[in-house]
Amino acid sequence: MTRSISIFGATGSVGTSTLDLIRIERENYEILALTANENAAELARLAIEFDAKLAVVAEPSQLEALQKHLSGTNIKVAAGASSLLEAAAMSADWTMAAIVGCAGLPPTLEALRCGKTVALANKEALVSAGALMMAEARAAGATLLPVDSEHNAIFQSLQGGRIDQVRKITLTASGGPFRTWQREDMAAVTPEQAVAHPNWEMGAKISVDSATMMNKGLELIEAHYLFPVGLENIQILVHPQSVIHSMVEYKDRSTLAQLGSPDMKIPIANTLAWPERMVTECEPLDLAAIGKLEFEAPDEERFPALALARTAIEEGTGKPAILNAANEVAVAAFLEKSIQFLEITEIVSRVLDSYSPPKPTALDDIFAIDEEARARAEEMVEGMKV
Ligand code: NDP
């Protein structure tokens, strides 16, 4: 039976890995919508190859380029935020939410409202609007499958178990490229050094998040919403080899983990084929060649992003949305070489301290918090510009 698929963020790292997997069993899938931000040429190329019904660029200025690339085909083209929502409302059987940043929240929410299956890579949406997203998913009867390798590992380790049988969840972290660096040495880190992750090939934003360890902070919040075991029962453990992707300890002290080569196609394949399994061409895990697995406690002095994220979610207010928005602005400024590496978490910390909005109850509240936090972070970037 063919399944209909839509991919939000089709031109990105997760999006292209998803399409690589779809190529393996092409005949099983009908592609409804593919979206990008501004990369019209690549989006058009993918839309033609996969015979998509609709191609959407979020950036309206790229509509003309997209139209030109797709002229003479039957593929519909559209642009802008409302077109992303329309694409999500096409109600694909399986949707990949792989836009980077909170910009992915509206289409992800719309896809959840359709009540089908949503594979979630876009962690920023869950960080900013976790309670709302989970409530909408439940109300619509949608299936939310975690794509992030750690959360997918927890999801797999929970199969056959129940959340109320869990004592503790351990999120593993590679520690990023600066795991062994002194904090003062990180001051002069360049974007090129920060995006060079030792184990994973990923988009620029998540690579920088891994380098500051904000990625693990975001993942802590993500885990809190996806696996309600209590924040105090979610632990972070540095594991430089990225072989154990996360662990679940049950009440009886049995610990189940999911292992695999550090390749995002493995967790993506799990969500694409779920509840079945599909064949992939990923590298098999060769533990004899790896030799030994190492573990260490995270160092929150050198990587303050972890404590910032934990405090933000503990407060139970709109702080996670502030954390995420300020981080998005600061990471973009660092990638543009406007601020220094250590200033990323400094900005996030200062924006978090600068105000405390009440707990958001609606999407508009989240957008208002997001907007305010971005404005404050941008002001700080201006003041720090190198
Ligand atoms: P990339 O930067 O590689 O790709 C992002 C995708 O989103 C691109 O298709 C991009 O389009 C599109 N996009 C960017 N900005 C916007 C916007 N404002 N509106 C609409 N579309 C936009 O990111 P990744 O694939 O690395 O990451 C995607 C998400 O998955 C992130 O939330 C990340 O945290 C998460 N994730 C990623 C992993 C990885 O291995 N890469 C692992 C686990 C989670 P364009 O090409 O036109 O810019």
Side-chain angles (χ1 to χ4, degrees):
M1 213 180 71
T2 56
R3 272 196 304 160
S4 59
I5 300 255
S6 286
I7 302 178
F8 291 80
T11 49
S13 167
V14 171
T16 51
S17 291
T18 308
L19 288 165
D20 282 345
L21 291 164
I22 288 173
R23 277 191 194 95
I24 301 174
E25 298 179 352
R26 180 70 193 87
E27 65 286 0
N28 293 341
Y29 304 108
E30 179 197 25
I31 307 299
L32 298 186
L34 297 180
T35 84
N37 187 32
E38 55 185 5
N39 192 347
E42 180 59 8
L43 179 65
R45 193 188 68 72
L46 293 169
I48 291 168
E49 178 190 344
F50 288 90
D51 196 20
K53 304 272 176 268
L54 172 69
V56 182
V57 275
E59 178 49 57
S61 64
Q62 293 306 308
L63 179 61
E64 213 179 306
L66 187 63
Q67 278 166 336
K68 212 185 274 171
H69 286 297
L70 289 175
S71 67
T73 71
N74 290 327
I75 302 165
K76 283 196 199 143
V77 295
S82 60
S83 300
L84 286 177
L85 287 181
E86 283 162 29
M90 286 169 88
S91 194
D93 295 328
W94 188 92
T95 296
M96 167 57 82
I99 288 176
V100 61
C102 201
L105 173 59
T108 304
L109 210 50
E110 189 62 30
L112 286 169
R113 285 178 180 141
C114 294
K116 304 276 183 65
T117 299
V118 176
L120 183 78
N122 180 207
K123 67 187 87 184
E124 296 90 349
L126 201 60
V127 168
S128 295
L132 192 77
M133 269 177 72
M134 297 309 286
E136 294 269 5
R138 261 192 303 274
T143 303
L144 187 58
L145 299 174
V147 170
D148 224 343
S149 59
E150 295 77 2
H151 306 75
N152 185 266
I154 296 163
F155 173 68
Q156 293 199 47
S157 301
L158 279 169
Q159 284 166 27
R162 289 194 319 265
I163 202 82
D164 62 303
Q165 298 168 329
V166 173
R167 190 188 282 261
K168 191 176 79 185
I169 282 175
T170 301
L171 284 174
T172 54
S174 70
F178 312 127
R179 178 177 63 87
T180 58
W181 289 37
Q182 294 306 309
R183 194 162 161 77
E184 52 273 23
D185 296 333
M186 291 183 220
V189 154
T190 64
E192 292 74 21
Q193 286 172 303
V195 298
H197 196 279
N199 304 340
W200 299 93
E201 269 178 49
M202 309 183 285
K205 194 259 175 184
I206 184 175
S207 298
V208 175
D209 284 345
S210 296
T212 58
M213 290 198 75
M214 182 58 86
N215 184 47
K216 215 46 58 179
L218 300 177
E219 288 179 3
L220 173 78
I221 299 173
E222 189 183 6
H224 167 72
Y225 287 119
L226 291 174
F227 311 109
V229 296
L231 204 52
E232 65 287 4
N233 298 317
I234 308 176
Q235 179 201 358
I236 292 167
L237 178 68
V238 175
H239 164 43
Q241 289 82 13
S242 300
V243 164
I244 298 179
H245 297 303
S246 278
M247 300 179 244
V248 173
E249 182 187 314
Y250 286 90
K251 284 180 181 170
D252 60 4
R253 299 279 187 206
S254 282
T255 297
L256 298 193
Q258 184 262 349
L259 285 69
S261 303
D263 182 341
M264 275 308 291
K265 283 185 193 153
I266 299 175
I268 297 171
N270 176 259
T271 65
L272 182 61
W274 188 85
E276 301 298 326
R277 296 265 177 185
M278 66 180 285
V279 174
T280 73
E281 287 152 11
C282 300
E283 284 296 311
L285 187 60
D286 185 348
L287 287 174
I290 294 165
K292 65 176 180 184
L293 300 180
E294 295 160 302
F295 305 96
E296 61 198 41
D299 183 341
E300 296 194 358
E301 301 269 306
R302 285 185 303 127
F303 296 100
L306 292 173
L308 291 178
R310 193 175 282 276
T311 310
I313 186 71
E314 266 167 4
E315 254 191 42
T317 62
K319 291 258 166 136
I322 299 180
L323 173 99
N324 178 67
N327 184 56
E328 282 191 37
V329 170
V331 170
F334 169 69
L335 285 169
E336 286 164 9
K337 303 196 176 177
S338 296
I339 61 165
Q340 294 189 330
F341 182 73
L342 292 178
E343 289 172 337
I344 299 173
T345 40
E346 189 190 325
I347 287 176
V348 176
S349 172
R350 282 175 52 194
V351 179
L352 277 168
D353 285 346
S354 71
Y355 75 122
S356 193
K359 193 175 181 156
T361 52
L363 199 54
D364 283 347
D365 301 340
I366 290 156
F367 289 143
I369 295 170
D370 181 89
E371 204 177 314
E372 174 71 27
R374 275 172 206 273
R376 290 181 187 225
E378 270 154 18
E379 206 180 302
M380 286 177 200
V381 166
E382 279 306 310
M384 285 177 176
K385 264 191 174 163
V386 281

